């Protein structure tokens, strides 16, 4: 007897709509998929240090700090996997960190040397995205200049414009201010344009939250010890707010941002969605270090399946509205997608 239920009034017509029909076969699920995760959506964040040997980051399984040569090789790997761009984060020797973070504007600092090596090896075949913020360079670990316990806005912006110019001169195609100072996108745009870098794009960390999920990153770049018990709540956004995130994004677009970013991703899927639908801008999301560490830790404890959780988390970020996702999973995902497994 067939399983079909139904009263006398609607013989064979209950329920009239069966959404499970489209879920019945893998090929059909694939045909009706509304969102896809492709290698073209991925940006791979990398940590560069000034040592010859790679150094594992304990809180981020599978992630190491690499030498400049190691980064050049990683970029080759990214290219062969089809990952369009990498994002660079320098681990600065503590002896070079100062109150004013002045090493950030040195054209021969680690990240500038790394960018030059990358451009020499790879030309324009891979995107190089460089963070604009002072936290790798300051002895207090803040993204801006600190005076009397306050982060100075306009004085910081002035330094950031010089940092952005140094990075652009070294050859990065995208600068990504992650500092959350007011007015920095406009100031950086003007400074780049005034110095012949009108082709360098700005990816603005527009809605960036003061988040506990940056913990592993701060230990990876070595700013955790500098920051100590301090927090970044006077410049990064409160997780309570999303209207404010839209105002941040609107300002950055008005100031000349080419792409906008929401960060973290998994705790701000609603913000990603609002930003994408409100502005129709290229919208990126950062699956941050804590999100990566959390998935790895749960998988290592046998609590969830690493591959499935990784793919689901990234697909969900795409579904929320992100065009591209910065993720430490990038090479692993790219390999999985290529092998179809
Ligand atoms: C610093 C910066 C941070 C991240 C990217 N750029 C940390 C912070 O704001 O304290 C976090 C990335 C991650 O957690 O993966 N300006």
């Amino acid at each position: 007897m067939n399983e079909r239920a139904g009263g006398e009034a609607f013989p064979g017509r209950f329920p009239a709509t069966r959404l499970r029909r489209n879920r019945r076969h893998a090929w059909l699920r694939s045909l009706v998929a509304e969102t896809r995760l492709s290698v073209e959506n991925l940006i791979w964040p990398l940590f560069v240090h000034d040592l010859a040997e790679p150094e594992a980051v304990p809180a981020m399984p599978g992630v190491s700090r690499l030498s400049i040569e190691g980064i050049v090789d990683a970029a080759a790997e990214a290219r062969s996997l089809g990952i369009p761009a990498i994002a660079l984060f320098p681990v600065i020797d503590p002896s070079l960190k100062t109150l004013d973070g002045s090493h950030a504007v040195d054209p021969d600092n680690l990240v500038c040397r790394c960018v030059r090596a990358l451009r020499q090896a790879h030309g324009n075949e891979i995107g190089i995205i460089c963070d604009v913020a002072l936290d790798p360079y300051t002895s207090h670990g803040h993204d801006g200049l600190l005076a009397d316990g306050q982060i100075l806005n306009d004085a910081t912006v002035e330094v950031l414009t010089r940092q952005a110019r140094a990075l652009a001169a070294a050859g990065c195609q995208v600068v990504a201010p992650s500092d959350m100072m007011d007015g920095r996108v406009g100031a950086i745009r003007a400074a780049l344009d005034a110095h012949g870098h009108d082709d360098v794009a700005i990816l603005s960390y527009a809605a960036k939250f003061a988040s506990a999920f940056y913990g592993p990153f701060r230990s990876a770049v070595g700013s955790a010890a500098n920051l100590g018990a301090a927090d970044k709540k006077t410049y990064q956004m409160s997780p309570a707010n999303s209207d404010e995130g839209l105002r941040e994004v609107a300002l950055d677009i008005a100031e000349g941002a080419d792409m906008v970013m929401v960060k973290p991703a998994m705790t701000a899927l609603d913000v990603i969605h609002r930003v994408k639908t409100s502005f129709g801008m290229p919208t990126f999301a950062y699956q941050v270090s804590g999100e990566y560490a959390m998935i790895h830790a749960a998988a290592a404890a046998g609590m969830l399946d690493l591959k499935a959780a990784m793919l689901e988390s990234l697909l969900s970020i795409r579904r929320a509205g992100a065009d591209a996702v910065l993720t430490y999973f990038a090479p692993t995902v790219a390999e999985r997608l290529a092998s179809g497994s």
Side-chain angles (χ1 to χ4, degrees):
M1 196 182 121
N2 111 19
E3 206 202 320
R4 211 169 278 230
E8 289 301 306
F10 305 101
R13 293 201 64 245
F14 175 82
T17 303
R18 290 177 181 271
L19 293 181
R20 287 185 58 194
R21 235 177 254 126
N22 282 349
R23 300 177 198 143
R24 192 174 171 107
H25 308 287
W27 58 263
L28 186 46
R29 291 193 292 274
S30 162
L31 279 176
V32 301
E34 298 171 42
T35 309
R36 290 179 205 280
L37 178 65
S38 139
V39 67
E40 279 129 353
N41 307 124
L42 305 176
I43 296 167
W44 186 11
L46 291 164
F47 299 110
V48 58
H49 69 180
D50 218 348
L51 303 170
E53 294 303 316
E55 204 171 56
V57 178
M60 301 176 71
V63 174
S64 292
R65 307 177 185 101
L66 302 172
S67 64
I68 289 177
E69 295 70 38
I71 298 286
V72 170
D73 292 347
E77 186 188 343
R79 280 177 67 184
S80 72
L81 289 167
I83 297 169
I86 58 174
L88 284 182
F89 297 97
V91 183
I92 299 298
D93 190 285
S95 69
L96 295 169
K97 298 189 184 196
T98 53
L99 269 176
D100 65 359
S102 57
H103 193 53
V105 307
D106 185 335
D108 283 320
N109 69 24
L110 177 61
V111 71
C112 289
R113 281 183 280 127
C114 187
V115 170
R116 282 195 292 270
L118 281 164
R119 287 300 299 272
Q120 194 162 18
H122 299 294
N124 254 317
E125 297 306 309
I126 189 152
I128 307 164
I129 302 171
C130 287
D131 221 52
V132 178
L134 301 183
D135 55 313
Y137 304 98
T138 50
S139 47
H140 44 72
H142 279 291
D143 293 27
L145 302 174
L146 183 67
D148 299 328
Q150 306 290 322
I151 299 300
L152 304 176
N153 193 89
D154 301 6
T156 298
V157 169
E158 201 278 322
V159 183
L160 296 176
T161 61
R162 290 193 282 139
Q163 181 184 23
R165 279 172 48 199
L167 294 166
C172 77
Q173 307 97 331
V174 180
V175 290
S178 71
D179 56 288
M180 291 296 281
M181 296 303 118
D182 289 325
R184 90 282 206 216
V185 171
I188 289 171
R189 184 71 273 159
L192 291 176
D193 291 355
H195 292 85
H197 300 302
D198 46 81
D199 55 342
V200 171
I202 299 179
L203 163 61
S204 148
Y205 286 68
K208 175 170 176 178
F209 291 90
S211 171
F213 290 90
Y214 307 152
F217 173 98
R218 290 180 191 167
S219 60
V221 298
S223 65
N226 302 89
L227 196 61
D231 63 53
K232 302 191 178 183
K233 291 179 183 169
T234 70
Y235 44 106
Q236 300 179 347
M237 280 177 45
S238 163
N241 298 349
S242 82
D243 286 344
E244 188 188 354
L246 296 195
R247 296 180 71 197
E248 283 284 2
V249 170
L251 281 170
D252 286 3
I253 294 170
E255 290 176 31
D258 299 285
M259 298 152 269
V260 294
M261 178 143 62
V262 176
K263 173 188 176 190
M266 211 167 182
T267 55
L269 294 172
D270 58 325
V271 181
I272 297 171
H273 186 254
R274 289 188 72 188
V275 167
K276 185 62 188 177
T277 53
S278 302
F279 301 104
M281 281 284 287
T283 302
F284 293 5
Y286 200 145
Q287 183 180 52
V288 300
S289 57
E291 299 176 67
Y292 176 85
M294 184 167 65
I295 291 172
H296 263 288
M303 291 173 179
L304 47 76
D305 179 81
L306 179 65
K307 177 195 156 196
M310 166 183 88
L311 293 175
E312 180 181 333
S313 65
L314 290 165
L315 189 62
S316 303
I317 295 165
R318 291 266 302 129
R319 190 194 65 240
D323 299 297
V325 188
L326 284 88
T327 175
Y328 303 95
F329 286 121
T332 315
V333 177
E335 277 163 23
R336 293 280 187 186
L337 293 174
S339 71
S341 68

